[in-house]
Amino acid sequence: MKFSGKNVLVTGASRGIGAEIAKTLAGFGLKVWVNYRSGAAEADAVKEAIEADGGTAAVIGFDVCDEAAYIDAIKTIVSSDGELSYLVNNAGITNDKLAMRMKTEDFMSVINANLTATFVGSREFFKAARKKKFGAVVNIASIVGETGNAGQTNYTASKGGVVAMTKSFAHESATSGIRYNSLTPGFISTEMTEVLSDEVKDAINAKIPMSRMGRASEVAQATAFLLSDHASYITGETLKVNGGMNMA
């Protein structure tokens, strides 16, 4: 894939899908800023893996829920590299429970981490990138933001909000040459799903037309496409990476 920019910030990149996205983008020649909140050792390991494969990476620790810290991080990257070409808002949390038992603080903690933080990053990227009239953002949402899911009222609201908000950013940034797209993974095989029993995995796979969970590498490749020059006329789009589980 071809990229005209030179660097990218990936939030929540110390493990799981974020780490795979970071490694994939580094493989295409981008300098990757690997963000972490608490997993410093894991972030360093991602950086080392990238460098071992001939790529370039830097580690930058901050909590995406801390608005001032997120703003400072983008300023640090621009000061270091002269620009920030791409952003992947991947960091997020869950706090699952039935809505009847969900406290307002349980709801808002997920909204703040998944939606508000994505807004802050998207806004600050726009401010930094419009000077060069170039850039692209991929916001990682979720299939349940499109379908809803029992026990995840907070999470589904946050991810559905990410999809809608991304379209609004796409409208506002298009004339500045900046693209915003979202991606909605379905069930993806990660460390979190590895602990599930075979019975549970089989039940999940039975609901997926392709009869298997996705791989983190498949989410990473889709993310890379949306950022790349090959998607230069795509903005405000929601790319579903779900094995056919939701085709609407």
Side-chain angles (χ1 to χ4, degrees), residues 187-209:
F187 284 97
I188 306 300
S189 181
T190 64
E191 295 170 359
M192 294 177 66
T193 59
E194 285 304 309
V195 301
L196 299 175
S197 68
D198 289 341
E199 183 179 7
V200 171
K201 290 179 183 178
D202 289 343
I204 291 172
N205 290 338
K207 298 177 182 178
I208 303 171

Side-chain angles (χ1 to χ4, degrees), residues 9-14 33-37 43 58-64 91:
L9 168 62
V10 183
T11 68
S14 62
W33 288 81
V34 179
N35 162 253
Y36 73 93
R37 178 176 63 87
V59 172
I60 186 162
F62 66 93
D63 185 346
V64 296

Side-chain angles (χ1 to χ4, degrees), residues 98-120:
L98 293 175
M100 290 287 288
R101 299 174 183 170
M102 186 178 292
K103 297 179 180 178
T104 303
E105 52 263 37
D106 297 327
F107 184 85
M108 291 308 303
S109 65
V110 176
I111 292 294
N112 288 336
N114 297 356
L115 180 57
T116 306
T118 296
F119 163 73
V120 170

Side-chain angles (χ1 to χ4, degrees), residues 33-175:
W33 288 81
V34 179
N35 162 253
Y36 73 93
R37 178 176 63 87
S38 59
E42 292 88 345
D44 286 338
V46 172
K47 177 179 180 292
E48 291 169 5
I50 288 172
E51 292 174 341
D53 284 339
T56 305
V59 172
I60 186 162
F62 66 93
D63 185 346
V64 296
C65 292
D66 184 334
E67 181 175 3
Y70 205 153
I71 292 171
D72 285 345
I74 289 182
K75 288 180 179 178
T76 295
I77 293 170
V78 173
S79 176
S80 170
D81 295 352
E83 67 179 271
L84 178 57
S85 305
Y86 308 106
L87 170 65
V88 180
N89 277 307
N90 168 74
I93 65 169
T94 59
N95 188 358
D96 298 349
K97 57 190 68 175
L98 293 175
M100 290 287 288
R101 299 174 183 170
M102 186 178 292
K103 297 179 180 178
T104 303
E105 52 263 37
D106 297 327
F107 184 85
M108 291 308 303
S109 65
V110 176
I111 292 294
N112 288 336
N114 297 356
L115 180 57
T116 306
T118 296
F119 163 73
V120 170
S122 296
R123 180 192 68 196
E124 295 306 309
F125 179 87
F126 190 6
K127 292 178 183 178
R130 66 179 177 175
K131 297 173 185 176
K132 285 203 166 187
K133 289 191 172 294
F134 174 85
V137 175
V138 171
N139 292 325
I140 305 298
S142 170
I143 185 175
V144 298
E146 302 167 313
T147 65
N149 196 38
Q152 290 192 308
T153 303
N154 48 8
Y155 188 75
T156 58
S158 70
K159 293 303 188 178
V162 166
V163 170
M165 182 180 69
T166 300
K167 294 178 184 293
S168 294
F169 268 106
H171 275 290
E172 293 185 15
S173 67
T175 56

